[in-house]
Amino acid sequence: MSYRKFQADYLFDGYNLLNEEQVLITKADGTIEKIIHPGEAGEEVEKLKGLLSPGFVNCHCHLELSHLKGRTPMKSGLVEFVLFVVSQRKNDPVEIMDCIKSAEEEMLAAGIIAVGDICNTSDTLTQKSGKHLAYYNFIELAGWLPDQAHKRFDSGRSLYDQFAKMTGSEDHLSLSPHAPYSVSNPLWKLLGTRFPQKTITIHNQESAAEDAYFISGHGELTEMFRKMEIETTHFSGTGTRSLPYYLPLLGQAQNIILVHNTYTSAGDLSMANKFSRNLFFCLCPNANLYIENRLPDIPEMIRLNANIVIGTDSLASNLQLSVLEEMKTIKKYFPEIELSRLLKWATSNGARALQLENELGDFKKGKKPGLVLIESAGKELIDKDSQCRRIL
């Protein structure tokens, strides 16, 4: 059996930065064998400058929107962003496919090993069939008109079947709601029948307009629906913010990923965190700044000991698809957050959220999590100049 031995300046095992120098032993194909003291490692140890980590997990992406890079207006607010993306979804098929391929290659180069990807179309099927990355494919459903619920559900189920055929399995695949303001009560009921044993994701409180609409039935979202020619007379508000209204509808899910949380209040964070220990708050800070120029209350999430994971969102709302760049942004605005916590969000927490913890996320024996080296010229291991490269 052929083995490789790696010794870096620092080693993060998926949970902790190890206090003393260690050597990571893997099989030739990257399967983890063990972590041992350098004195026991023998010869042919590959010495690396920097921090060695398991591969990163990107818990929220829209790979199919990669062709919109650089085209969407920055800091315009969610409503204008959504209207623009909806208007640009139809594009040259060849360009769409080329951009999907380039975006996946970018993630591979950035040390990403697995992706939670939102799918509204079959555009990514061909690229994903190459199995360069592990994917949890979230077939996203939206339908605000109650009388369209069955039509939307059947369409989503058809797309779900296409992905299941491509992968040969229904594992790491689910039907997920787009957002609270885009799923009618009848569609929620249909979706709920497919939640058991699955990870379900939803865009949560990405704008102040979302809570305003649920409280009163009015506001910016009403204007968005008008421009999209969507009837809204069936909804008059719930008198509550959106999260307390819809979260109980996700109770049958195995795992829940709430994405963005840009305007989630401290009270909502606490309520959601108590709802399930298998609930994860996904941070996409660069997209939050790109769209709303605002970040979620990360310190409160930490205070609650919440499960946190990291996503990139799409190239429609980000300049790159890099979990390291997301960590840099978090560190810039919240310098008090320790490195080991950031890395755990990017690795083992992400793997658990996507139900991939038996394969990825840490350096436990038998797993094949990928190896990423973070290199920095400065005193901080993650700063604005840090770079990463994939070792295995």
Side-chain angles (χ1 to χ4, degrees):
M1 179 67 68
S2 177
Y3 293 95
R4 295 183 67 178
K5 307 172 186 179
F6 302 94
Q7 182 178 3
D9 298 319
Y10 303 91
L11 182 66
F12 177 75
D13 66 3
Y15 304 94
N16 300 289
L17 270 174
L18 302 188
N19 293 326
E20 58 183 38
E21 289 188 350
Q22 299 284 320
V23 174
L24 176 69
I25 311 258
T26 76
K27 294 180 180 178
D29 66 354
T31 302
I32 302 301
E33 183 63 22
K34 56 186 173 181
I35 296 174
I36 61 175
H37 188 273
E40 303 171 10
E43 300 179 349
E44 298 183 347
V45 176
E46 300 178 45
K47 301 291 184 71
L48 304 168
K49 298 293 293 182
L51 183 149
L52 195 61
S53 167
F56 301 138
V57 180
N58 178 1
C59 279
H60 182 73
C61 188
H62 298 252
L63 191 58
E64 65 191 18
L65 297 181
S66 298
H67 62 287
L68 296 181
K69 182 178 182 179
R71 298 183 183 180
T72 53
M74 297 181 70
K75 302 178 182 179
S76 62
L78 180 68
V79 170
E80 289 302 315
F81 176 81
V82 169
L83 288 170
F84 182 86
V85 170
V86 169
S87 72
Q88 296 293 316
R89 271 199 174 273
K90 292 183 179 180
N91 212 302
D92 175 42
V94 175
E95 180 189 9
I96 289 173
M97 296 298 290
D98 287 345
C99 290
I100 287 170
K101 181 176 185 294
S102 295
E104 187 184 67
E105 290 171 349
E106 178 182 337
M107 286 195 283
L108 281 162
I112 291 170
I113 192 78
V115 184
D117 195 44
I118 304 295
C119 308
N120 288 273
T121 70
S122 60
D123 291 344
T124 60
L125 274 171
T126 298
Q127 188 63 33
K128 288 173 179 173
S129 66
K131 299 182 179 179
H132 307 293
L133 288 167
Y135 284 96
Y136 199 117
N137 293 301
F138 298 109
I139 309 304
E140 185 176 76
L141 271 69
W144 192 231
L145 297 179
D147 61 2
Q148 290 188 359
H150 283 278
K151 178 181 177 181
R152 294 300 180 95
F153 182 74
D154 289 344
S155 177
R157 192 167 53 183
S158 175
L159 185 58
Y160 178 101
D161 290 342
Q162 290 182 60
F163 275 84
K165 182 178 180 181
M166 181 270 290
T167 61
S169 169
E170 292 189 42
D171 294 339
H172 308 119
L173 176 64
S174 71
L175 294 174
S176 286
H178 164 251
Y181 56 82
S182 62
V183 177
S184 67
N185 286 337
L187 186 52
W188 270 113
K189 290 179 181 178
L190 292 169
L191 281 169
T193 65
R194 303 294 290 263
F195 289 168
Q197 310 305 314
K198 298 291 188 178
T199 291
I200 303 300
T201 191
I202 185 170
H203 296 78
N204 176 62
Q205 294 171 310
E206 196 173 353
S207 73
E210 179 179 315
D211 282 324
Y213 187 62
F214 271 80
I215 290 169
S216 68
H218 300 291
E220 283 186 83
L221 289 185
T222 305
E223 180 63 14
M224 181 185 76
F225 287 132
R226 186 189 67 79
K227 291 181 178 180
M228 296 173 69
E229 299 181 349
I230 296 175
E231 178 60 56
T232 62
T233 54
H234 66 281
F235 185 77
S236 58
T238 64
T240 69
R241 292 161 63 85
S242 64
L243 187 56
Y245 168 75
Y246 78 80
L247 190 57
L249 301 174
L250 292 169
Q252 295 299 309
Q254 179 69 32
N255 290 346
I256 301 167
I257 303 178
L258 304 182
V259 182
H260 294 304
N261 314 293
T262 322
Y263 288 83
T264 308
S265 69
D268 283 351
L269 290 172
S270 179
M271 178 271 299
N273 197 49
K274 293 175 183 176
F275 181 78
S276 170
R277 284 309 301 160
N278 291 323
L279 183 146
F280 299 81
F281 296 99
C282 184
L283 305 177
C284 304
N286 287 324
N288 299 152
L289 294 171
Y290 191 109
I291 298 172
E292 288 277 340
N293 197 28
R294 176 183 169 118
L295 292 173
D297 191 350
I298 300 175
E300 181 64 13
M301 295 178 188
I302 293 173
R303 189 189 72 78
L304 292 169
N305 196 30
N307 297 316
I308 299 175
V309 296
I310 294 176
T312 62
D313 211 9
S314 72
L315 285 174
S317 58
N318 207 332
L319 302 178
Q320 67 279 307
L321 301 179
S322 166
V323 169
L324 177 61
E325 291 300 322
E326 302 300 322
M327 288 193 284
K328 287 183 187 180
T329 297
I330 295 170
K331 193 69 173 173
K332 174 183 175 182
Y333 287 90
F334 305 99
E336 70 278 9
I337 299 177
E338 58 268 31
L339 176 61
S340 59
R341 190 184 296 271
L342 283 173
L343 289 168
K344 184 179 179 182
W345 298 348
T347 57
S348 58
N349 272 18
R352 186 158 66 93
L354 298 184
Q355 297 179 294
L356 289 165
E357 68 269 31
N358 292 331
E359 308 161 39
L360 311 174
D362 60 58
F363 287 150
K364 290 181 180 177
K365 181 180 175 64
K367 295 188 181 183
K368 196 174 177 180
L371 274 69
V372 174
L373 184 71
I374 301 175
E375 302 168 302
S376 177
K379 294 182 179 180
E380 296 290 333
L381 292 174
I382 291 184
D383 60 25
K384 63 182 180 65
D385 296 318
S386 298
Q387 300 294 324
C388 71
R389 59 187 176 94
R390 192 163 177 171
I391 305 297
L392 278 176

